[in-house]
Amino acid sequence: MTYRADITIIGAGIVGLGIAAQVAREDREVYVLEKNEKFGQETSSRHSGVIHSGIYYPEGTLKAKLCGTGNRLLYELCGKYGIGHRRLGKLIVATSDEEAGELQKLLDRGQRNGAEGLRILSHREMKELEPNVAGIAAILSPSTGIIDSYALMKFFIARAKEGGAQIAYQSKAVGIEKVADGYKVAVEDSTGKFSFTTRILINCAGLHCDEVAELAGIDIARAGYKLHYCKGEYFSVGGGKNTLVKRLIFPVPPPKVTGVGIHVNFDLEGRMRLGPSIHYVDSIDYAVDNQHKQLFYDSARVFLPFIEYGDLEPEMAGIRPKLQEPGEDIKDFVIRDESDKGLPGFINLIGIESPGLTASTAIAKYVWDLIAGYL
Ligand SMILES: Cc1cc2nc3c(=O)[nH]c(=O)nc-3n(C[C@H](O)[C@H](O)[C@H](O)COP(=O)(O)OP(=O)(O)OC[C@H]3O[C@@H](n4cnc5c(N)ncnc54)[C@H](O)[C@@H]3O)c2cc1C
């Protein structure tokens, strides 16, 4: 089977699908290759579902810029097309003088990143909003919310298909070769192996993006693309405790931000859960270890004194595709055209951990700007 595509996207997670929706047009051959039977079976269905406002990320990074833009674009899209979401707002709660001292720094950084409506609440103001939360002060972030990421992916697919894009499931990219005017991609599907050529190739392979970059001949150790898997577990909170807070409640993150800390989170049906935890792992395994329940309980009790040990049940886990090793400073998203590696039109998206969901529409526009000149 030999055919020629204009644009091929590897990976039907939220990022690949967002890009497919952005680039699909009647007069373009656009393909999405997905190794699984369905879309969004990996990180895009194993996350907190939070529309972040962009407080945490160092100024000027892609994470900061694309989160801020993505937040606004996502609310616009949800409002216009009826995609399930709720602008709940969030509190970042300080429970010690030391943490209270961090709030101003977080607020300043958030404001520089363009997060809207941030303000510091005194103890009294915090208690007025959330009487059941314990703490000495907090930041209110009104533009933080939650989204139905499954509905968002369905929307992206509908958009992409309207533009004529095709999604091939159970189709794993297993080889990439640079050819005269693009790339020859080898694919394994249920019927065997075939290859085709594509002018532009976009690597949105999530937890496997480093392997896909390697298929194209990139030395991933040298390029700094080697991923480190970092697991995040969630515990559901029962016992009717979901009615005791209205907003998302986050702790003040530790200085080296590996994650945003175990926080209180809701789904659109109002079910409450705690998570995600953080521990680096060697392989992909989504089991939740019930022995971690004590850690969740201890972390949450500090600002949610109403939670009882028996309220917690293991729920699910996700794996972050991190570029930083344990103890290293936060690393930015890599989203780049690999022309300088002799691979023009090969676009790598590496390390798209949080806030990848929030940033998905902004990432799609960013990628479009990288490839528009080739078309
Ligand atoms: C615990 C946790 C909590 C998070 N919370 C939030 C949050 O609250 N807010 C937020 O904004 N973000 C959050 N994120 C981040 C967000 O979930 C991710 O950034 C986003 O889902 C990444 O999407 P993706 O499309 O890049 O990757 P994925 O969803 O992993 O999709 C990649 C796809 O590529 C496919 N693939 C891989 N290799 C191949 C191949 N060779 N051939 C064909 N297909 C292939 C895979 O099967 C997969 O379907 C969280 C992440 C985690 C882990």
Side-chain angles (χ1 to χ4, degrees):
M1 189 169 172
T2 51
Y3 51 79
R4 187 182 160 78
D6 293 308
I7 302 173
T8 300
I9 298 162
I10 301 175
I14 203 135
V15 173
L17 294 173
I19 295 171
Q22 173 76 38
V23 303
R25 297 285 181 281
E26 287 297 334
D27 58 347
R28 267 181 218 141
E29 295 280 321
V30 176
Y31 292 91
V32 181
L33 299 175
E34 170 53 56
K35 67 179 169 55
N36 294 331
E37 276 178 19
K38 293 182 190 154
F39 64 91
Q41 298 289 289
E42 302 199 351
T43 309
S44 296
S45 53
R46 297 176 165 277
H47 52 68
S48 303
V50 174
I51 304 178
H52 286 296
S53 61
I55 298 175
Y56 302 102
Y57 315 106
E59 206 182 341
T61 57
L62 281 178
K63 283 184 175 172
K65 287 188 222 161
L66 298 173
C67 183
T69 312
N71 174 293
R72 289 179 281 284
L73 289 173
L74 218 46
Y75 280 121
E76 253 172 58
L77 205 69
C78 289
K80 195 164 167 193
Y81 297 101
I83 299 162
H85 71 292
R86 287 173 69 200
R87 200 190 281 250
L88 293 175
K90 103 170 165 184
L91 294 188
I92 303 176
V93 177
T95 55
S96 66
D97 288 339
E98 198 189 344
E99 285 185 356
E102 289 298 311
L103 292 183
Q104 188 62 47
K105 284 185 225 158
L106 274 175
L107 180 104
D108 291 345
R109 191 196 300 155
Q111 285 177 335
R112 286 197 301 271
N113 286 347
E116 289 165 9
L118 297 181
R119 69 186 178 93
I120 291 185
L121 304 179
S122 66
H123 177 256
R124 186 182 54 78
E125 290 170 319
M126 185 191 86
K127 283 290 193 186
E128 273 168 19
L129 292 185
E130 295 289 355
N132 297 311
V133 170
I136 55 178
I139 291 177
L140 172 67
S141 168
S143 72
T144 303
I146 52 173
I147 183 166
D148 178 348
S149 59
Y150 181 78
L152 180 63
M153 286 190 277
K154 294 272 279 185
F155 171 79
F156 285 151
I157 289 174
R159 265 279 166 96
K161 286 190 171 168
E162 269 165 37
Q166 293 188 47
I167 306 179
Y169 293 108
Q170 291 182 285
S171 301
K172 181 176 180 181
V174 292
I176 297 170
E177 186 191 333
K178 174 86 190 78
V179 291
D181 188 19
Y183 297 89
K184 185 172 169 193
V185 183
V187 179
E188 255 172 28
D189 68 5
S190 51
T191 61
K193 202 166 167 182
F194 67 96
S195 60
F196 67 99
T197 60
T198 183
R199 199 158 161 203
I200 291 165
L201 184 60
I202 307 176
N203 172 12
C204 300
L207 293 168
H208 306 280
C209 63
D210 53 351
E211 293 158 32
V212 168
E214 210 163 30
L215 289 181
I218 292 178
D219 178 342
I220 56 168
R222 201 158 151 218
Y225 292 174
K226 178 90 191 86
L227 289 182
H228 306 282
Y229 293 154
C230 183
K231 189 166 176 176
E233 295 175 330
Y234 294 85
F235 277 72
S236 61
V237 183
K241 303 291 165 69
N242 59 333
T243 56
L244 296 179
V245 292
K246 297 186 205 70
R247 293 168 183 76
L248 306 169
I249 313 289
F250 284 56
V252 173
K256 285 204 173 182
V257 190
T258 307
V260 291
I262 291 181
H263 55 266
V264 173
N265 186 281
F266 293 96
D267 63 17
L268 285 168
E269 281 73 47
R271 283 185 292 259
M272 190 191 234
R273 63 184 179 190
L274 297 175
S277 54
I278 287 191
H279 50 278
Y280 280 84
V281 291
D282 295 327
S283 57
I284 297 172
D285 165 12
Y286 295 117
V288 178
D289 186 345
N290 197 32
Q291 289 185 1
H292 294 160
K293 186 165 164 172
Q294 189 70 42
L295 165 80
F296 278 75
Y297 176 66
D298 293 342
S299 309
R301 279 282 294 177
V302 184
F303 52 103
L304 304 170
F306 56 83
I307 286 188
E308 290 170 63
Y309 186 78
D311 295 334
L312 304 186
E313 289 297 334
E315 196 190 87
M316 61 108 173
I319 312 250
R320 304 169 182 88
K322 277 200 180 289
L323 283 170
Q324 78 249 33
E325 294 185 53
E328 278 191 322
D329 282 333
I330 183 171
K331 289 204 176 154
D332 201 5
F333 291 157
V334 171
I335 306 178
R336 70 190 308 273
D337 174 18
E338 300 288 9
S339 293
D340 60 358
K341 296 187 181 70
L343 300 169
F346 180 50
I347 313 295
N348 264 324
L349 288 92
I350 314 280
I352 311 297
E353 52 166 330
S354 193
L357 162 63
T358 308
S360 52
T361 45
I363 290 175
K365 286 184 189 297
Y366 188 87
V367 168
W368 170 247
D369 287 342
L370 292 179
I371 63 173
Y374 289 106
L375 296 163

